[in-house]
Amino acid sequence: MTGSNGDGPAEAIGRRRFLGYVLAAPTLVAAAELRPTPAADARLPSPELTELLDLNDMMTAAALPTSGLISVEVNRDGTVSFALPRAEVGQGITTSTAMLIAEEMAVPLERVRVTLADARPELLFNQLTGGSNTTIATYIPIRVAAAIARLRLLAAAATELGSAVTDLTLKAGVITDRSGGGIDIGALAEKAASMRTRQVSVELTSRESFTVIGRPHNRIDALEAVTGRKKFAMDLDVPDAKPTMVCRPPTINGKVGSVANLAEVRTMPGVTDVVVISTGVAVRAETFGQCIDAVRALRVSWKPGSAEGKSDETVLRELEAAELPLGLRPPTPTVEGKFTFYFRSNSALEPNCAIADVRADRAEIWSALKSPIVAKQTIAAKLGLPLGRVTVHVTEGGGSFGRKLFFDAALEAAEVSQRIGKPVKLMWHRADDSRQGRTHSMATSRVRVAYAGDTVLSYKQRHTSVSTDLGHGLGEIITAMAARLPVGDIGFSETFFQLSQAMSYDFGVSSRLLSETDKGFNTGSMRNVYSPDVTCARELIVDRLAARMGKDPYRFRHDFLRDDRSRAVLAKVAEAGNWGRPMPADTAQGIAFHAEYKSVSAALVEIDCRPETVNRPIRDGVTGPRVTKVVFAVDVGLAVNPRGLEAQMMGCIMDGIALALTSSLHLRDGYFLEASWDNYFYTRQWNTPPELQIIVMPSASEKPGGAGELGVAASMAAVACAYGRATGTMPTSFPINHGTLSFTPKPTIPPIPPSPTDGLNHAR
């Protein structure tokens, strides 16, 4: 996307010069026009597919043709508006987007208003939030649109001030001439507008001139978030949209057989409607408390679900039967391992929720959606309405981890609203999310490495997983449908797998293959998808291989990594974390590396596995080892907002600790035992490292790399490696504490457990 070396008009477009449009509008509106361009250098074939094309490259290329449909608008009050075709779910992309616009337009950051665009089917592949792709895909288009707006404002100011454009300066939203005369951009919003759409070329700000991009900035929504003024879906005041909840089956995806007391429940206090829907029995009431009371009172006869009678043990046998062979064992020495990764919850901080107002001739939906185009198309088909009569508003979300790629709450809300003819404000209970929500697939990974002397000859990994639902496709209905076809889903998953996994070590002939089985579970592309499990298995084997060769784990990795950039992040964590320092018995360091989407990362972890730590009393909780220190280094190329990047890596580290030590779902008799976060053990305060250091590596790159998911895999792997070194036994089952059930499972009927009443008994 940096211009063309070919013949024709594109030849004149330099490395920072791009084409775009001033759109016909009452006030100034500008957009980019970007086309795929051939690479400037012919690269030699690489043994690693992801060095030539990875999932992020594919998503960026798919988004490129509709970049011109995304525009920046200058308003009469001097603010700049931009409707971001992505979902802000806490990752900070509204802040980084505002920074791009502020940079190119020389306006204060507080003058930039970034909202979330409604579902726009014309954007095709350009409204999917995932794969750490937002900053990469939008970095140039947003800057080009903003730069065109800047150019038009300067031209309009030149006319107003009677000066040459070259004599004008735009700073802090005000254009001044050499005599000191000035005019605010708001006063030029109409004058800079165009009666017709016009093509223009523009040069972007050079990196050495950046004053906003690359500098640490606080989030633009931080004050609203910490003061409770930030609006999420359930905060919206949609007329007559009343609280709604669903009575769900006791086993995964069970169906309603009959309801014995519908009429009785309809007369309960506050209840306005009770109706059977495809996923259960929906209750609408004046308050969510009244919804809960009604759901608990329903007496439903349920039909079997899609995972009836299944347990961890039966799924493990299914995975073993679906494993692809590693082939004949070579005559040279080998290191082998098999690893099991249990189901994990994809529940975000914000409960799964949506508002729907469905009328006979139209529908309006509000929800935090990362694939809103597919949601709109699917909801329209479900309701039997023309696509143009369905409006889907994307609201800000409180977390996602991939969960909000799926729109089941929005689809449910639309179904309920259509059935009862009234607006609804539908919210899942925490127990719904744990037991009927999306999960990270249970999987196994087998690894075999052949070596001779100090040379690694081959690396083979066979990853077997419960089928991961990629039914969101690439953000529109065609690929979403393809991902669900009996053959298409296999090809889609394998493509996703191959384009998201990289072998960063010089390990001879390398191969990775995915096999998937069992579509009876509600799975999803949880944060980092396949990478945490795949990388954890690989890095544990790397530790074992280093031991076989009599080498230090850090030095072994450093020697076998393929490039200087990768070696630099590894060396940085080893130096900053004081790798190899003497440590007490039953404590140890672990180190791991992970690369994806043009970014590289490394983690050094210290863990305490001493008996007094492992057995420390925690009320109704899994205790186990504690990570006491993490040093994490990351190189993402150009970091638009280093402070936001640090926050992302902190979240990734907490994910990695949880996946390695405590965070899992226990499957028994067709349902998960966990029923809320009080017995689903994401990283808690007592497992959070007291020492945490994030190092953003300096980079001269002109382009950003992917960062949203990058830190999970290296963190999980480093914790696993540290545990293995502290205990003297390589862990093979994750999370390490999965075998410890520290709580009494809540019943599945009624599906919503009673509210706790003993909170004050445990206050300190």
Side-chain angles (χ1 to χ4, degrees):
M1 299 195 303
T2 55
S4 170
N5 291 327
D7 297 329
E11 186 177 7
I13 303 175
R15 207 156 46 91
R16 295 199 312 273
R17 183 161 288 277
F18 294 85
L19 291 173
Y21 292 97
V22 180
L23 304 180
T27 57
L28 176 57
V29 180
E33 179 194 31
L34 298 176
R35 300 171 182 152
T37 57
D41 59 327
R43 300 178 61 184
L44 293 174
S46 166
E48 272 303 303
L49 174 61
T50 53
E51 291 182 20
L52 300 175
L53 176 75
D54 64 22
L55 184 65
N56 217 296
D57 294 328
M58 185 174 71
M59 293 173 68
T60 302
L64 200 60
T66 58
S67 296
L69 299 177
I70 302 169
S71 58
V72 169
E73 181 175 359
V74 179
N75 304 307
R76 295 177 181 88
D77 63 358
T79 60
V80 181
S81 297
F82 180 72
L84 178 65
R86 299 293 190 276
E88 170 67 76
V89 290
Q91 75 275 51
I93 57 174
T94 50
T95 300
S96 57
T97 295
M99 291 173 65
L100 301 180
I101 295 170
E103 182 70 76
E104 290 298 339
M105 295 192 66
V107 297
L109 196 61
E110 56 268 21
R111 280 218 211 175
V112 183
R113 306 283 186 263
V114 178
T115 57
L116 304 183
D118 290 348
R120 297 178 58 190
E122 70 274 15
L123 290 178
L124 293 175
F125 306 105
N126 205 355
Q127 204 173 7
L128 177 74
T129 310
S132 301
N133 182 248
T134 294
T135 302
I136 293 176
T138 64
Y139 179 68
I140 294 297
I142 292 172
R143 290 180 62 204
V144 170
I148 290 171
R150 177 193 69 212
L151 195 68
R152 290 288 297 181
L153 289 166
L154 287 169
T159 301
E160 288 295 303
L161 298 172
S163 300
V165 170
T166 53
D167 293 335
L168 300 178
T169 302
L170 173 54
K171 185 177 181 181
V174 177
I175 299 174
T176 56
D177 59 17
R178 289 186 175 180
S179 67
I183 185 168
D184 190 88
I185 62 171
L188 298 168
E190 293 183 28
K191 297 178 175 68
S194 178
M195 298 293 291
R196 62 184 177 85
T197 296
R198 299 172 54 191
Q199 187 180 60
V200 296
S201 68
V202 69
E203 186 167 308
L204 301 183
T205 304
S206 63
R207 175 165 181 168
E208 55 268 22
S209 300
F210 285 169
T211 60
V212 182
I213 296 174
R215 306 287 179 88
H217 281 271
N218 292 332
R219 291 182 52 142
I220 59 176
D221 58 352
L223 182 61
E224 287 189 336
V226 299
T227 56
R229 289 180 290 178
K230 189 172 180 180
K231 297 291 186 183
F232 299 94
M234 292 294 96
D235 299 318
L236 301 180
D237 187 16
V238 175
D240 203 34
K242 294 189 183 298
T244 302
M245 299 184 79
V246 176
C247 179
R248 302 184 189 278
T251 58
I252 295 169
N253 297 328
K255 298 297 181 183
V256 175
S258 61
V259 185
N261 60 340
L262 270 177
E264 176 187 332
V265 173
R266 286 188 179 116
T267 65
M268 290 181 66
V271 173
T272 66
D273 300 271
V274 184
V275 61
V276 175
I277 61 172
S278 58
T279 53
V281 184
V283 175
R284 181 177 181 268
E286 296 294 332
T287 69
F288 280 111
Q290 290 168 335
C291 286
I292 290 173
D293 290 342
V295 166
R296 288 179 53 80
L298 281 165
R299 297 197 301 274
V300 185
S301 173
W302 297 98
K303 296 178 181 178
S306 57
E308 206 72 16
K310 292 185 179 179
S311 64
D312 286 342
E313 293 74 22
T314 64
V315 174
L316 186 57
R317 290 197 292 271
E318 287 183 48
L319 293 172
E320 290 172 345
E323 287 177 357
L324 297 174
L326 282 168
L328 295 175
R329 184 173 281 102
T332 58
T334 62
V335 173
E336 298 188 31
K338 180 177 177 179
F339 306 89
T340 300
F341 305 91
Y342 289 97
F343 286 106
R344 288 137 288 182
S345 176
N346 207 172
S347 177
L349 180 62
E350 177 191 29
N352 200 23
C353 58
I355 299 174
D357 184 359
V358 179
R359 306 297 172 93
D361 61 341
R362 62 178 175 82
E364 199 167 3
I365 311 293
W366 295 260
S367 190
L369 300 168
K370 297 175 76 172
S371 55
I373 295 174
V374 185
K376 175 171 178 162
Q377 293 166 330
T378 306
I379 290 169
K382 176 90 170 178
L383 299 177
L385 290 173
L387 191 62
R389 303 300 296 169
V390 177
T391 301
V392 172
H393 304 288
V394 179
T395 63
E396 295 206 26
S400 172
F401 310 109
R403 176 68 178 92
K404 290 179 171 64
L405 280 164
F406 296 89
F407 46 89
D408 34 25
L411 192 61
E412 266 186 347
E415 182 182 359
V416 177
S417 181
Q418 185 183 51
R419 290 289 308 277
I420 66 176
K422 302 171 187 176
V424 299
K425 184 178 282 191
L426 183 142
M427 182 170 66
W428 286 38
H429 189 273
R430 287 290 183 202
D432 299 339
D433 250 355
S434 294
R435 289 179 166 171
Q436 299 289 346
R438 298 284 168 174
T439 70
H440 196 212
S441 299
M442 186 171 169
T444 62
S445 216
R446 296 178 62 206
V447 181
R448 176 186 292 161
V449 183
Y451 68 98
D454 291 336
T455 302
V456 179
L457 302 173
S458 65
Y459 178 95
K460 292 183 178 181
Q461 187 162 8
R462 302 294 180 259
H463 194 71
T464 312
S465 172
V466 165
S467 182
T468 298
D469 187 349
L470 299 173
H472 45 73
L474 294 177
E476 45 59 70
I477 200 71
I478 301 299
T479 55
M481 291 177 67
R484 294 181 181 276
L485 294 174
V487 176
D489 63 340
I490 300 170
F492 203 92
S493 296
E494 189 68 48
T495 300
F496 190 111
F497 181 77
Q498 295 298 340
L499 294 184
S500 62
Q501 304 304 309
M503 170 49 73
S504 302
Y505 298 106
D506 187 10
F507 278 178
V509 179
S510 171
S511 70
R512 299 174 301 274
L513 292 175
L514 171 71
S515 175
E516 292 197 326
T517 185
D518 197 338
K519 299 179 183 179
F521 294 91
N522 301 320
T523 58
S525 40
M526 186 174 171
R527 194 180 196 184
N528 223 195
V529 200
Y530 301 106
S531 295
D533 298 352
V534 171
T535 299
C536 182
R538 183 195 71 206
E539 293 294 296
L540 284 166
I541 290 296
V542 168
D543 261 15
R544 178 172 281 189
L545 188 59
R548 282 279 187 93
M549 292 185 174
K551 294 186 177 182
D552 172 80
Y554 156 66
R555 179 50 55 188
F556 179 88
R557 286 174 170 82
H558 190 274
D559 291 347
F560 277 93
L561 282 170
R562 294 179 185 272
D563 59 80
D564 292 340
R565 187 177 176 225
S566 300
R567 287 188 285 269
V569 295
L570 191 74
K572 177 56 71 173
V573 296
E575 174 193 7
N578 193 13
W579 172 262
R581 74 179 184 89
M583 295 187 67
D586 300 321
T587 70
Q589 295 177 317
I591 197 166
F593 174 86
H594 177 68
E596 65 178 35
Y597 308 146
K598 310 300 186 291
S599 299
V600 294
S601 66
L604 180 147
V605 161
E606 292 187 359
I607 199 168
D608 184 352
C609 295
R610 291 175 294 189
E612 59 267 31
T613 299
V614 172
N615 299 319
R616 66 195 190 280
I618 298 291
R619 178 175 61 87
D620 295 333
V622 176
T623 312
R626 180 173 190 182
V627 174
T628 55
K629 179 178 179 178
V630 177
V631 179
F632 196 93
V634 59
D635 181 348
V636 299
L638 173 63
V640 174
N641 183 6
R643 185 165 296 153
L645 176 61
E646 289 178 7
Q648 284 279 63
M649 293 307 104
M650 288 182 189
C652 287
I653 289 165
M654 298 309 144
D655 285 353
I657 293 171
L659 293 175
L661 296 180
T662 58
S663 181
S664 64
L665 294 167
H666 295 77
L667 180 66
R668 180 190 297 169
D669 297 329
Y671 71 96
F672 294 117
L673 302 186
E674 283 71 14
S676 187
W677 276 2
D678 63 345
N679 48 44
Y680 180 76
F681 298 103
Y682 188 80
T683 303
R684 305 296 178 92
Q685 192 63 46
W686 34 267
N687 269 340
T688 301
E691 294 184 61
L692 177 60
Q693 182 181 5
I694 310 293
I695 302 169
V696 178
M697 301 289 283
S699 173
S701 174
E702 295 275 350
K703 299 179 181 179
E709 304 170 294
L710 178 67
V712 181
S715 301
M716 179 187 182
V719 174
C721 290
Y723 179 87
R725 298 184 77 219
T727 61
T729 302
M730 181 179 73
T732 59
S733 180
F734 296 92
I736 287 163
N737 285 322
H738 180 77
T740 302
L741 192 67
S742 64
F743 61 93
T744 301
K746 294 179 172 65
T748 58
I749 298 177
I752 296 179
S755 298
T757 57
D758 63 345
L760 293 178
N761 298 342
H762 305 288
R764 292 280 193 272

